[in-house]
Structures are given as structure tokens and as C-alpha cells.
Amino acid sequence: MKTILAAYATAPVTDDWQPELQARYLDGIKQLSSIRGIEHPFTGQLHPHDDDWFLQNIDSTWDFVFTGVPGIMGRLGKNPHFGIASDNPDGRAEGIAFYQQMRAAVHKLNAHLGRKAVDFIQLHTSPNRTGSASSVASLVESLKEIQSWDWDGAELVIEHCDAFVEGAQPEKGFLTLEEEIQAVSEVNRACGCEIGLSVNWGRSALETRSVQGPLQHLQAAREAGLLRGFMFSGISDQDTPYGVWRDTHMPPAEIFEGGSFAEGSLLTAEQMKASLEVADWSSLDFMGIKIGVRPKDLGADARVAYNRDALAALDLLTKG
């Protein structure tokens, strides 16, 4: 299986938009032959800075998985009630409107490429429960509307993020996996649709503060018949440049000698193997890598190397 790479998470970090630097980085990503496409961040329009630049610099053969997390987190900073699971009517309406904007971007990208290049839309069950109320009922109503739109061939999945847990400080604080399963199952039955779920290794480990969390979430989603996608992001329980239990998409621990990996990462070869088995990886619709890197001023070539080696590690483990 060729994988999906969340290349944006490793893109160079600058104070202002530097298209030449970003193009150099993206040119390096294009050389990674093991990917089928990229996870693309949506913030409100197709590209946060320049739609035309994005359309000119992507690989025309790539497939795409859209994620709204960057846009959602920005909006939550302004309105804590924002999101499709919100019990606040205005907050829920704003969440639905955000996905209408995403739908327009999907059509624009597909029209440019002349094909249905966007395979999946990852939905997220904001708001953060530390600042606003949310529920299965609100999510069900939103999903019923969103699934009725023309997504130009793209399929819908909810990407599970770390849920609100009493006594713990969440990064996202969205609905629990059990609530998401309940809502998706209800909407699928009512509407005859096939919304699924995707799991992110690091976010599930963060929620449970345990390497067992991703296995539990993968198993639950599979048993519900809803697991469609799985992304590997690392995390640490130690004081590292990536933080302690932070959703910073830490690279894996060393998988092979000489590679670009991260010391202290809980995402070891053993954990990757166990997760691949529980996920029944060959039956997934998409699987991939989503990593960030430190230090933040790391050059473009080094950033590409981290992605190259993480992909090589995944390739090694799925062939072994």
C-alpha cells in the first residue's frame, strides 16, 4: 500500500510566507516515490496563502486526504463554541459552514486536476469540552447535513483526536471515540451512507497517556466496522524538544541505524508492528505518516529526510 504523507506538518516554519522555500521543500517531497499522495490542511480556502501557488506546485498524480484541524484550532481560539458537535447553535452552524468552504476547495482542486483526486475528508468533533458543551445528538444532526452534500467523490471519516478526560489537560478535548462511533453508526443507518473513522497513533496515546490507547481505539473502530484510515504520529512521556504528552507529531524512535528519528519517542518499531496488526493494515483505505520536526529552524532538506526515513520504516514493517 502506498501511503499518505501529511507533508504540511514538516514544512519549514517561517514568520512570513516564503514560496521559494516552501517550493524547495515540496520538490523534495515529490521525490518520495513511496507515497500515493498527501494529507492537506484546510484553513478556510484551498491554500492558507496562495491557491494558485499550491495548484502549480503539487504533483498532479497525488491523491489527497483533507484535514480541517488547522482551521478548526484557529477558529476555536476565537470562538470556544465552534464545531459540528457543539451544543451551541451558532457554534454548530459555524462548524457546518466551515465544511461548506472545504467542499468548495475540494471541487476547485479536482477541477484543476481534471479528476476526483480527493479521496477522503477528515471531520473533527470540536469544540473542546473544557470551554463548551458538545454531544452525540449535535454531531448526528451535523453529520446528516454534511453527508448530504456533493463531495465530488470524496468520502467522509471522523478522525479521532484526544477526547476530554476528567482531571487531564487535553490538547483537543473533543468527543470520545465511543461517542463518535455511536453518532456515525446512527447516521449511517438513518441515511444509508458510509461515514467511517480514522485513528492517529499519537493522539490516541495522548488521550490515554499510554501506548495501549492506540491499540484500544483501533480495535474498537474495527469491531464497529468503521475503521477506514490510520496515521502514525509519535509522542513522548519524557522531557523532549517535542514536549511531554504533546500533540506535536513527534517522529518515530530509531527504526534502523543512520536514519532521521527522534530519541524518546514512544512510537517504536514494536508499537508500530502491534498497531499495524490490530488495524489489519492491508484492509485500510488509507494509511500514512504525520510528523513534525525539531528544531523549528531545521532546513528543508533535513525535513524531507525525516519524512523519507519514517516512510522507509513503515515500508520495512509492512513488508517484514
Side-chain angles (χ1 to χ4, degrees):
M1 174 190 289
K2 284 199 171 184
T3 53
I4 294 294
L5 179 66
Y8 79 93
T10 325
V13 179
T14 55
D15 292 333
D16 56 353
W17 170 236
Q18 297 185 21
E20 291 184 1
L21 175 62
Q22 299 298 330
R24 176 182 171 185
Y25 167 73
L26 209 54
D27 284 343
I29 295 299
K30 292 175 186 176
Q31 306 308 309
L32 303 176
S33 60
S34 61
I35 66 172
R36 86 183 222 213
I38 61 172
E39 181 182 276
H40 179 62
F42 182 76
T43 60
Q45 58 188 45
L46 181 57
H47 187 269
H49 298 284
D50 189 336
D51 284 7
D52 291 337
W53 177 92
F54 176 72
L55 293 172
Q56 291 164 9
N57 282 275
I58 56 175
D59 187 321
S60 63
T61 68
W62 279 345
D63 294 325
F64 296 83
V65 175
F66 271 47
T67 174
V69 164
I72 289 169
M73 299 309 292
R75 283 161 175 75
L76 282 171
K78 300 175 182 177
N79 177 9
H81 305 298
F82 174 89
I84 59 173
S86 181
D87 289 339
N88 177 282
D90 291 338
R92 191 168 75 83
E94 288 183 27
I96 291 173
F98 174 77
Y99 286 109
Q100 276 282 26
Q101 294 172 329
M102 185 185 289
R103 188 179 73 89
V106 168
H107 281 260
K108 182 174 184 177
L109 177 56
N110 285 348
H112 173 79
L113 294 174
R115 62 187 177 89
K116 295 180 179 181
V118 182
D119 289 338
F120 285 94
I121 304 300
Q122 293 192 112
L123 310 171
H124 298 86
T125 59
S126 61
N128 187 324
R129 279 177 159 167
T130 60
S132 184
S134 58
S135 66
V136 170
S138 294
L139 178 60
V140 165
E141 290 307 306
S142 296
L143 290 178
K144 284 181 177 178
E145 179 172 351
I146 291 169
Q147 67 81 34
S148 71
W149 303 339
D150 173 16
W151 284 98
D152 203 25
E155 300 181 55
L156 304 177
V157 297
I158 287 178
E159 182 192 31
H160 179 65
C161 295
D162 69 291
F164 174 78
V165 176
E166 197 70 45
Q169 180 64 37
E171 292 266 326
K172 301 294 188 293
F174 296 168
L175 295 188
T176 67
L177 182 68
E178 291 74 19
E179 289 172 313
E180 291 167 349
I181 288 173
Q182 180 183 344
V184 169
S185 298
E186 180 177 336
V187 173
N188 285 350
R189 286 193 300 268
C191 301
C193 54
E194 295 183 349
I195 302 171
L197 293 171
S198 64
V199 171
N200 176 294
W201 195 94
R203 287 171 175 162
S204 290
L206 167 63
E207 175 183 326
T208 60
R209 300 296 198 272
S210 167
V211 295
Q212 297 303 310
L215 303 180
Q216 294 163 0
H217 288 171
L218 289 166
Q219 184 67 34
R222 270 195 65 196
E223 289 178 352
L226 297 174
L227 184 62
R228 308 290 296 278
F230 181 34
M231 298 292 286
F232 279 109
S233 282
I235 201 165
S236 185
D237 59 354
Q238 304 173 28
D239 186 12
T240 72
Y242 297 86
V244 182
W245 295 120
R246 294 297 307 276
D247 187 18
T248 52
H249 312 302
M250 191 176 187
E254 184 177 83
I255 308 295
F256 51 81
E257 290 186 7
S260 297
F261 297 106
E263 186 176 351
S265 178
L266 293 174
L267 185 58
T268 62
E270 291 73 23
Q271 293 303 325
M272 292 181 72
K273 287 179 183 176
S275 298
L276 288 165
E277 181 177 349
V278 172
D280 188 19
W281 67 269
S282 62
S283 68
L284 295 172
D285 292 314
F286 69 93
M287 179 174 68
I289 297 289
K290 182 175 188 173
I291 58 173
V293 293
R294 299 292 185 274
K296 290 186 177 181
D297 61 356
L298 204 63
D301 294 343
R303 291 169 177 274
V304 172
Y306 270 95
N307 282 302
R308 177 200 66 209
D309 292 344
L311 290 164
L314 182 56
D315 188 54
L316 181 67
L317 293 170
T318 52
K319 287 184 177 178

